[in-house]
Amino acid sequence: IRGRIHKQKYHHTTHKMNSTTLIIITLFCVFPLVLGELRLGFYSLSCPRAEAIVRDVVQRRFNTDKSITAALLRMHFHDCFVRGCDASLLLDPTENRTSEKDAGLNQSVRGFDIIDEAKSALEQACPSTVSCADIISLATRDAVALAGGPSYNVGTGRRDGLVSDPREVKLPLPSMSVFEALHFFTARGFTLFEMVTLVGGGHSLGSTHCSNFRSRLSSFRGSLDPTMDPNMDAELGKVCGSAKQPATSDPSVYLDQITPLAFDNRFFNQILAKRGILNLDQQLALDPLSSHMVSGFAADGESLLQSFASAMIKMSSINVTLGNEGEIRRNCRAVNHPL
């Protein structure tokens, strides 16, 4: 009899545990998972197709222009590193106010039309619901994955900022040393390892203009930069010209000369071979502070994928505007109630 009673109690307890487990699983399915101050699935009830709509827009554009990944990465970085991830970079200047777009460092940022297209589709599906700040983070995530980079989740729930001041645009420059650039990253809570991850991973895609590196070229400086591969120096001199006869415009070249449109770790191998175009990129491989990190990523592409995903999630959470602060812009280029 005791055995049967004990067995009945065991089955009853197991049933209760299974029921509890089922409830917990159900709650996770119904309510968004908390990720810091942001939430995974924030729009699951208010705009269930929000992330799919952004993904579709990015996919269509990527099919015709694979360079959008680099463009969106740069936009995301330039937005989050100034006032935080609040889409302040998207605001256009007006007669009454300037904008971050007026800053010299932002003159070549592009991809705004992609955000506009996603916002227009979202306004039709769910008016005044999805923030422009969230669209930037989601679109960048999707573009990175399409280029062969890591697939990662980003929390949503950001709201859009109301201020965009070009005087606040202070970003690391391509001519800087590792130590100088690190100042900008540590001020925003990043470690040296995360800086190497973001700079190296981001620069595995995209291009840069001659004006950002011609001071390193022998055709401009008069002698070979000992930190640059001589063959690459000659190649870049043909594109950028010389101090006596510079290129008529400001041409651009790929930062990764092997796989410029794919996210991979080949960029790290190139800077180890002194084929880094920007001074900062090359210094990552030469400075004792960071050289071992570069070697690690050059040898292990999988670790780059994991580290880059973590660093991007962290970057997308910088000083986010939440709750009742800011607003949900109806048009990403303008505040809802301009002064």
Side-chain angles (χ1 to χ4, degrees), residues 3 15 36 52 65 70 82 86 113 135 139 157 172 182 205 209-210 222 229 264 281 300 308:
H15 176 70
D65 179 10
V82 177
D86 66 348
D113 57 326
I135 295 173
L182 183 59
L205 300 150
H209 291 278
C210 288
D229 171 66
D264 56 33
D281 290 349
D300 186 358
F308 192 77

Side-chain angles (χ1 to χ4, degrees), residues 213 216 225 227-229 232 236 255 257 267 269-283 285:
F213 63 85
R216 298 187 66 210
D225 183 338
T227 67
M228 180 179 284
D229 171 66
M232 191 176 79
L236 295 175
L255 291 168
Q257 300 106 61
F267 172 84
N269 287 280
Q270 290 172 63
I271 60 177
L272 285 175
K274 293 187 177 181
R275 292 185 65 85
I277 293 176
L278 300 177
N279 180 69
L280 176 57
D281 290 349
Q282 189 55 64
Q283 290 305 314

Side-chain angles (χ1 to χ4, degrees), residues 53-63 68 72 114 118 138-140 142-144 146:
I53 289 172
V54 174
R55 189 179 301 113
D56 289 345
V57 170
V58 174
Q59 176 73 72
R60 287 196 300 272
R61 188 63 64 90
F62 184 83
N63 290 343
I68 67 159
L72 289 171
I114 301 172
L138 292 171
T140 303
D142 295 337
V144 166
L146 287 169

Side-chain angles (χ1 to χ4, degrees), residues 63-138:
N63 290 343
T64 59
D65 179 10
K66 291 181 171 51
S67 72
I68 67 159
T69 302
L72 289 171
L73 274 168
R74 188 159 183 251
M75 178 195 296
H76 191 268
F77 175 77
H78 280 227
D79 182 52
C80 292
F81 259 56
V82 177
R83 296 187 62 85
C85 306
D86 66 348
S88 56
L89 176 59
L90 302 186
L91 291 173
D92 282 341
T94 67
E95 293 182 358
N96 300 320
R97 61 169 64 180
T98 54
S99 159
E100 289 173 29
K101 287 181 178 178
D102 293 320
L105 291 173
N106 287 331
Q107 294 297 304
S108 57
V109 175
R110 62 187 183 88
F112 298 114
D113 57 326
I114 301 172
I115 307 300
D116 291 338
E117 184 178 344
K119 181 60 174 175
S120 177
L122 286 164
E123 284 299 300
Q124 290 183 8
C126 317
S128 300
T129 302
V130 181
S131 71
C132 302
D134 277 343
I135 295 173
I136 295 176
S137 290
L138 292 171

Side-chain angles (χ1 to χ4, degrees), residues 270-319:
Q270 290 172 63
I271 60 177
L272 285 175
K274 293 187 177 181
R275 292 185 65 85
I277 293 176
L278 300 177
N279 180 69
L280 176 57
D281 290 349
Q282 189 55 64
Q283 290 305 314
L284 290 176
L286 298 174
D287 195 306
L289 286 172
S290 53
S291 58
H292 64 288
M293 300 174 186
V294 170
S295 296
F297 284 140
D300 186 358
E302 187 60 34
S303 69
L304 173 63
L305 295 176
Q306 296 172 2
S307 299
F308 192 77
S310 297
M312 287 297 293
I313 292 170
K314 183 173 180 178
M315 187 168 75
S316 70
S317 303
I318 298 176
N319 294 337

Side-chain angles (χ1 to χ4, degrees), residues 141-291:
R141 176 199 66 180
D142 295 337
V144 166
L146 287 169
S151 297
Y152 57 91
N153 291 318
V154 290
T156 42
R158 299 166 191 77
R159 288 171 66 83
D160 300 319
L162 304 173
V163 176
S164 185
D165 187 344
R167 294 170 298 182
E168 296 182 356
V169 179
K170 297 178 176 64
L171 297 164
L173 301 175
S175 59
M176 285 181 172
S177 67
V178 172
F179 182 77
E180 289 171 331
L182 183 59
H183 168 76
F184 288 86
F185 282 83
T186 55
R188 290 154 183 81
F190 289 92
T191 65
L192 173 61
F193 180 76
E194 289 168 332
M195 183 186 89
V196 174
T197 302
L198 288 170
V199 173
H203 288 182
S204 71
L205 300 150
S207 59
T208 188
H209 291 278
C210 288
S211 55
N212 289 321
F213 63 85
R214 62 188 170 202
S215 61
R216 298 187 66 210
L217 302 180
S218 61
S219 58
F220 283 87
R221 60 183 275 146
S223 61
L224 183 67
D225 183 338
T227 67
M228 180 179 284
D229 171 66
N231 292 326
M232 191 176 79
D233 174 79
E235 294 165 9
L236 295 175
K238 293 176 183 178
V239 177
C240 300
S242 66
K244 293 182 179 180
Q245 191 174 2
T248 53
S249 59
D250 190 10
S252 61
V253 297
Y254 286 121
L255 291 168
D256 179 336
Q257 300 106 61
I258 301 175
T259 54
L261 299 176
F263 185 99
D264 56 33
N265 68 333
R266 292 190 177 186
F267 172 84
F268 292 92
N269 287 280
Q270 290 172 63
I271 60 177
L272 285 175
K274 293 187 177 181
R275 292 185 65 85
I277 293 176
L278 300 177
N279 180 69
L280 176 57
D281 290 349
Q282 189 55 64
Q283 290 305 314
L284 290 176
L286 298 174
D287 195 306
L289 286 172
S290 53
S291 58

